[in-house]
């Protein structure tokens, strides 16, 4: 059932009359200036859906520029009947219509998730049950310290308790906290979930006055008070959900524990500002000189980047300012006690000595 058709080779605008036939799997055509050509039916696709009374324009995946124009209605019918993929003539509009729902749905889910994650972590953090916060906090602490020794002496522990009590004079609503000093040669301090605060031997040793340690401790208590570790966990869980929507993966184990912990424990500048404000207010109300914190921050700025051998997690976490960013601006915010307010020492000299040597065996 050979029919007449027209062929454009895609190279020139010349219209080549051809004779066209079909066997089971191919279209075969030739003309006076077109050598016998075979186009597989599978590779054909319509430029427009077939429409009665209209020429049917076809091209082929292997000859994208070329065109066959068919006008024989009976032949078109037979061809379309034998190759159902020609029937629909899926246009880009159809495809985008179908995928539009899927893409639109994903964008909607992602947007809602993003909004939730941007606005809600602080609120979700507030309703997390305490036993969850404590359990996760203990897990975080174990992961961060990687088996490092807890520094503890009877007098050192007593001095640490006294320092917390002295700070609590300025913060009657201070949340419950548990402070551990670890024998780690990196200068850092963190609050993890559940009110657990970690400080390092290096931090205690680099401090020249108890007010410096009290300032850092007050800052960490500020993170606990504002539930920053918990909010960060909620936020990152949301990010993970968001990432899995876009990448189709669950994140896998490409992120090491250390890198993940560093991300969890690195706060936004607004969280740092809140923790600093809490520290300043608490110290002033407790009559502990806030300049201790300022002196200590300036000292760390000078020794930043000094990292001795330590666990990989502590290295990933870096020093105090890697996990509590925004240094210079923060230092400027710290001002002395108001004129006339008499400073109370954060610890007596004996207590300070006991705390300074808490890691000494
Ligand atoms: Zn901080």
């Amino acid at each position: 059932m050979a029919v007449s058709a027209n062929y454009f080779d895609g190279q020139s605008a010349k219209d080549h009359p051809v004779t066209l036939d079909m066997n089971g799997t191919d279209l075969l055509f030739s003309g006076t200036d077109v050598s016998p050509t075979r186009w597989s039916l599978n590779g054909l696709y319509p430029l427009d859906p077939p429409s009665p009374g209209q020429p049917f324009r076809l091209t082929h995946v292997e000859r994208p520029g070329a065109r066959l124009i068919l006008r024989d209605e009976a032949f078109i019918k037979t061809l379309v009947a034998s190759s159902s993929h020609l029937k629909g003539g899926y246009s880009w509009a159809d495809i985008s219509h179908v995928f539009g729902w899927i893409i639109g749905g994903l964008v909607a889910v992602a947007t809602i998730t993003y909004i939730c994650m941007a606005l809600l972590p602080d609120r979700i953090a507030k309703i997390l049950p305490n036993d969850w916060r404590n359990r996760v906090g203990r897990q975080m602490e174990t992961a961060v310290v990687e088996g490092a020794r807890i520094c503890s002496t009877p007098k050192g522990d007593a001095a640490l308790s006294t320092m917390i009590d002295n700070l609590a004079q300025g913060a009657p609503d201070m949340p419950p906290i548990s402070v551990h000093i670890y024998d780690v040669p990196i200068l850092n301090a963190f609050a993890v979930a559940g009110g657990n605060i970690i400080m390092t031997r290096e931090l205690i040793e680099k401090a020249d006055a108890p007010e410096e340690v009290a300032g850092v401790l007050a800052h960490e208590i500020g993170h606990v008070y504002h539930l920053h570790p918990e909010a960060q966990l909620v936020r990152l869980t949301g990010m993970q959900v968001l990432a899995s929507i876009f990448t189709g993966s669950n994140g896998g184990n490409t992120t090491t524990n250390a890198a993940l912990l560093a991300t969890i424990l690195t706060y936004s500048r607004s969280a740092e500002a809140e923790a600093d404000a809490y520290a300043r207010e608490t110290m002033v109300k407790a009559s502990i000189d806030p300049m201790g914190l300022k002196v200590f921050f300036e000292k760390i700025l000078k020794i930043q980047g000094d990292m001795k051998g330590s666990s990989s997690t502590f290295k990933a976490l870096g020093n105090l300012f890697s996990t509590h960013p925004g240094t210079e601006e923060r230092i400027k915010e710290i001002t002395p006690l108001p004129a006339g307010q008499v400073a109370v020492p954060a610890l007596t000299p004996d207590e300070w000595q006991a705390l300074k040597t808490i890691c000494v065996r």
Side-chain angles (χ1 to χ4, degrees), residues 14-156:
K14 193 166 184 294
D15 173 2
H16 303 280
V18 291
T19 305
L20 183 113
D21 207 348
M22 175 171 48
N23 67 13
T25 55
D26 305 282
L27 277 185
L28 310 161
F29 57 90
S30 61
T32 49
D33 49 2
V34 177
S35 54
T37 306
R38 180 187 293 268
W39 278 8
S40 66
L41 296 182
N42 285 342
L44 290 178
Y45 60 96
L47 295 170
D48 321 290
S51 171
Q54 296 297 314
F56 188 32
R57 304 189 308 140
L58 291 166
T59 185
H60 195 271
V61 284
E62 281 161 28
R63 297 296 305 277
R67 307 266 181 277
L68 265 176
I69 317 291
L70 280 59
R71 290 191 176 76
D72 190 294
E73 298 268 327
F75 187 91
I76 294 169
K77 222 173 199 175
T78 311
L79 176 65
V80 170
S82 72
S83 309
S84 58
H85 71 282
L86 300 177
K87 212 176 293 171
Y90 297 122
S91 65
W92 173 240
D94 294 324
I95 292 166
S96 60
H97 184 75
V98 171
F99 285 97
W101 284 103
I102 299 167
I103 294 163
L106 277 181
V107 169
V109 169
T111 306
I112 291 164
T113 309
Y114 176 78
I115 290 169
C116 290
M117 286 309 123
L119 302 179
L120 291 179
D122 301 341
R123 293 185 202 175
I124 294 171
K126 287 198 180 86
I127 57 167
L128 291 171
N130 278 336
D131 71 321
W132 182 90
R133 296 178 52 223
N134 293 333
R135 196 172 61 243
V136 171
R138 279 194 301 275
Q139 286 170 354
M140 288 172 79
E141 181 161 341
T142 305
V144 167
V145 300
E146 282 190 327
R149 179 178 70 99
I150 290 183
C151 299
S152 175
T153 62
K155 282 188 176 178

Side-chain angles (χ1 to χ4, degrees), residues 196-208:
N196 297 287
I197 293 173
I198 299 166
M199 296 205 286
T200 62
R201 172 181 188 155
E202 185 83 357
L203 182 139
I204 302 292
E205 287 182 351
K206 281 282 185 299
D208 291 308

